[in-house]
Short mmCIF file of all heavy atoms in Angstrom, two decimals:
data_model
loop_
_atom_site.label_atom_id
_atom_site.label_comp_id
_atom_site.label_asym_id
_atom_site.label_seq_id
_atom_site.Cartn_x
_atom_site.Cartn_y
_atom_site.Cartn_z
N ARG A 1701 5.87 -3.13 -5.98
CA ARG A 1701 5.00 -4.18 -5.45
C ARG A 1701 3.68 -3.60 -4.95
O ARG A 1701 3.57 -2.40 -4.69
CB ARG A 1701 5.71 -4.90 -4.30
CG ARG A 1701 6.95 -5.69 -4.72
CD ARG A 1701 7.65 -6.22 -3.47
NE ARG A 1701 8.79 -7.06 -3.79
CZ ARG A 1701 10.01 -6.60 -4.00
NH1 ARG A 1701 10.24 -5.29 -3.94
NH2 ARG A 1701 11.00 -7.43 -4.27
N ASN A 1702 2.72 -4.47 -4.77
CA ASN A 1702 1.44 -4.03 -4.20
C ASN A 1702 1.59 -3.81 -2.70
O ASN A 1702 2.70 -3.93 -2.15
CB ASN A 1702 0.32 -5.03 -4.53
CG ASN A 1702 0.52 -6.38 -3.84
OD1 ASN A 1702 1.41 -6.56 -3.01
ND2 ASN A 1702 -0.33 -7.34 -4.17
N GLY A 1703 0.50 -3.51 -2.05
CA GLY A 1703 0.55 -3.21 -0.62
C GLY A 1703 0.88 -4.39 0.25
O GLY A 1703 1.07 -4.23 1.46
N PHE A 1704 1.01 -5.58 -0.33
CA PHE A 1704 1.30 -6.78 0.44
C PHE A 1704 2.66 -7.37 0.05
O PHE A 1704 2.96 -8.53 0.34
CB PHE A 1704 0.19 -7.82 0.23
CG PHE A 1704 -1.16 -7.28 0.57
CD1 PHE A 1704 -1.99 -6.76 -0.42
CD2 PHE A 1704 -1.61 -7.26 1.89
CE1 PHE A 1704 -3.24 -6.25 -0.11
CE2 PHE A 1704 -2.86 -6.74 2.19
CZ PHE A 1704 -3.68 -6.23 1.20
N GLY A 1705 3.48 -6.54 -0.63
CA GLY A 1705 4.83 -6.96 -0.96
C GLY A 1705 4.93 -7.89 -2.15
O GLY A 1705 5.96 -8.55 -2.33
N GLN A 1706 3.89 -7.93 -2.99
CA GLN A 1706 3.87 -8.85 -4.13
C GLN A 1706 3.97 -8.07 -5.44
O GLN A 1706 3.45 -6.97 -5.57
CB GLN A 1706 2.56 -9.65 -4.14
CG GLN A 1706 2.27 -10.42 -2.88
CD GLN A 1706 0.83 -10.90 -2.84
OE1 GLN A 1706 -0.10 -10.15 -3.11
NE2 GLN A 1706 0.64 -12.18 -2.49
N TRP A 1707 4.64 -8.71 -6.41
CA TRP A 1707 4.55 -8.23 -7.79
C TRP A 1707 3.29 -8.82 -8.39
O TRP A 1707 3.14 -10.03 -8.49
CB TRP A 1707 5.77 -8.68 -8.60
CG TRP A 1707 7.07 -8.09 -8.17
CD1 TRP A 1707 8.06 -8.71 -7.47
CD2 TRP A 1707 7.52 -6.75 -8.40
NE1 TRP A 1707 9.10 -7.86 -7.25
CE2 TRP A 1707 8.81 -6.64 -7.82
CE3 TRP A 1707 6.99 -5.65 -9.04
CZ2 TRP A 1707 9.56 -5.47 -7.85
CZ3 TRP A 1707 7.73 -4.48 -9.07
CH2 TRP A 1707 9.00 -4.39 -8.49
N LEU A 1708 2.35 -7.95 -8.78
CA LEU A 1708 1.07 -8.47 -9.26
C LEU A 1708 0.52 -7.59 -10.38
O LEU A 1708 -0.25 -6.65 -10.15
CB LEU A 1708 0.05 -8.56 -8.12
CG LEU A 1708 -1.20 -9.40 -8.41
CD1 LEU A 1708 -0.83 -10.83 -8.78
CD2 LEU A 1708 -2.13 -9.40 -7.20
N PRO A 1709 0.92 -7.87 -11.63
CA PRO A 1709 0.33 -7.16 -12.78
C PRO A 1709 -1.06 -7.69 -13.06
O PRO A 1709 -1.45 -8.75 -12.54
CB PRO A 1709 1.29 -7.50 -13.92
CG PRO A 1709 1.83 -8.85 -13.56
CD PRO A 1709 1.92 -8.86 -12.04
N ILE A 1710 -1.82 -6.97 -13.89
CA ILE A 1710 -3.18 -7.39 -14.20
C ILE A 1710 -3.41 -7.31 -15.71
O ILE A 1710 -2.73 -6.57 -16.42
CB ILE A 1710 -4.24 -6.55 -13.45
CG1 ILE A 1710 -4.14 -5.08 -13.85
CG2 ILE A 1710 -4.09 -6.73 -11.95
CD1 ILE A 1710 -5.23 -4.20 -13.23
N PRO A 1711 -4.39 -8.06 -16.21
CA PRO A 1711 -4.70 -8.00 -17.64
C PRO A 1711 -5.35 -6.68 -18.02
O PRO A 1711 -5.85 -5.94 -17.16
CB PRO A 1711 -5.66 -9.17 -17.84
CG PRO A 1711 -6.29 -9.38 -16.50
CD PRO A 1711 -5.23 -9.04 -15.50
N SER A 1712 -5.36 -6.40 -19.32
CA SER A 1712 -5.93 -5.16 -19.81
C SER A 1712 -7.37 -5.31 -20.27
O SER A 1712 -8.17 -4.37 -20.19
CB SER A 1712 -5.09 -4.62 -20.98
OG SER A 1712 -3.80 -4.27 -20.54
N SER A 1713 -7.74 -6.46 -20.79
CA SER A 1713 -9.06 -6.68 -21.34
C SER A 1713 -10.13 -6.60 -20.26
O SER A 1713 -10.00 -7.20 -19.18
CB SER A 1713 -9.13 -8.06 -22.00
OG SER A 1713 -10.46 -8.41 -22.31
N PRO A 1714 -11.20 -5.83 -20.50
CA PRO A 1714 -12.30 -5.78 -19.53
C PRO A 1714 -12.84 -7.16 -19.18
O PRO A 1714 -13.17 -7.42 -18.01
CB PRO A 1714 -13.35 -4.93 -20.24
CG PRO A 1714 -12.55 -4.04 -21.15
CD PRO A 1714 -11.42 -4.91 -21.63
N LEU A 1715 -12.95 -8.05 -20.16
CA LEU A 1715 -13.45 -9.40 -19.91
C LEU A 1715 -12.50 -10.16 -19.00
O LEU A 1715 -12.92 -10.83 -18.05
CB LEU A 1715 -13.67 -10.15 -21.21
CG LEU A 1715 -14.13 -11.61 -21.07
CD1 LEU A 1715 -15.46 -11.69 -20.32
CD2 LEU A 1715 -14.26 -12.26 -22.45
N ALA A 1716 -11.19 -10.08 -19.29
CA ALA A 1716 -10.21 -10.78 -18.46
C ALA A 1716 -10.22 -10.25 -17.03
O ALA A 1716 -10.07 -11.01 -16.07
CB ALA A 1716 -8.82 -10.65 -19.07
N GLN A 1717 -10.42 -8.94 -16.88
CA GLN A 1717 -10.50 -8.39 -15.53
C GLN A 1717 -11.76 -8.89 -14.82
O GLN A 1717 -11.73 -9.18 -13.62
CB GLN A 1717 -10.50 -6.86 -15.60
CG GLN A 1717 -9.15 -6.27 -16.02
CD GLN A 1717 -9.04 -4.78 -15.74
OE1 GLN A 1717 -9.95 -4.17 -15.16
NE2 GLN A 1717 -7.94 -4.18 -16.14
N GLU A 1718 -12.83 -9.02 -15.57
CA GLU A 1718 -14.08 -9.55 -14.99
C GLU A 1718 -13.86 -11.00 -14.55
O GLU A 1718 -14.25 -11.39 -13.43
CB GLU A 1718 -15.20 -9.47 -16.02
CG GLU A 1718 -16.58 -9.83 -15.50
CD GLU A 1718 -17.21 -8.70 -14.70
OE1 GLU A 1718 -16.81 -7.53 -14.89
OE2 GLU A 1718 -18.09 -9.00 -13.88
N GLN A 1719 -13.25 -11.79 -15.42
CA GLN A 1719 -13.05 -13.22 -15.11
C GLN A 1719 -12.10 -13.42 -13.95
O GLN A 1719 -12.19 -14.42 -13.23
CB GLN A 1719 -12.54 -13.93 -16.36
CG GLN A 1719 -13.56 -14.00 -17.48
CD GLN A 1719 -12.98 -14.50 -18.80
OE1 GLN A 1719 -11.77 -14.40 -19.03
NE2 GLN A 1719 -13.83 -15.04 -19.67
N ASN A 1720 -11.15 -12.47 -13.78
CA ASN A 1720 -10.17 -12.58 -12.69
C ASN A 1720 -10.56 -11.78 -11.46
O ASN A 1720 -9.76 -11.65 -10.53
CB ASN A 1720 -8.79 -12.13 -13.19
CG ASN A 1720 -8.14 -13.12 -14.12
OD1 ASN A 1720 -7.48 -14.07 -13.69
ND2 ASN A 1720 -8.31 -12.92 -15.42
N ASN A 1721 -11.77 -11.26 -11.48
CA ASN A 1721 -12.30 -10.51 -10.34
C ASN A 1721 -11.36 -9.38 -9.91
O ASN A 1721 -11.07 -9.19 -8.72
CB ASN A 1721 -12.56 -11.45 -9.15
CG ASN A 1721 -13.68 -12.41 -9.43
OD1 ASN A 1721 -14.74 -12.03 -9.94
ND2 ASN A 1721 -13.46 -13.68 -9.10
N ILE A 1722 -10.89 -8.63 -10.89
CA ILE A 1722 -10.02 -7.49 -10.59
C ILE A 1722 -10.84 -6.41 -9.91
O ILE A 1722 -11.81 -5.89 -10.47
CB ILE A 1722 -9.36 -6.95 -11.87
CG1 ILE A 1722 -8.54 -8.04 -12.55
CG2 ILE A 1722 -8.51 -5.72 -11.57
CD1 ILE A 1722 -7.42 -8.60 -11.73
N ASP A 1723 -10.46 -6.07 -8.68
CA ASP A 1723 -11.19 -5.06 -7.92
C ASP A 1723 -10.74 -3.67 -8.32
O ASP A 1723 -9.69 -3.47 -8.93
CB ASP A 1723 -10.98 -5.28 -6.42
CG ASP A 1723 -11.65 -6.55 -5.92
OD1 ASP A 1723 -12.73 -6.87 -6.44
OD2 ASP A 1723 -11.09 -7.23 -5.04
#
Side-chain angles (χ1 to χ4, degrees):
R1701 294 174 176 87
N1702 67 7
F1704 304 96
Q1706 303 167 314
W1707 294 105
L1708 194 59
I1710 61 175
S1712 295
S1713 169
L1715 177 59
Q1717 290 195 4
E1718 187 78 22
Q1719 293 170 337
N1720 287 275
N1721 293 315
I1722 301 300
D1723 291 324

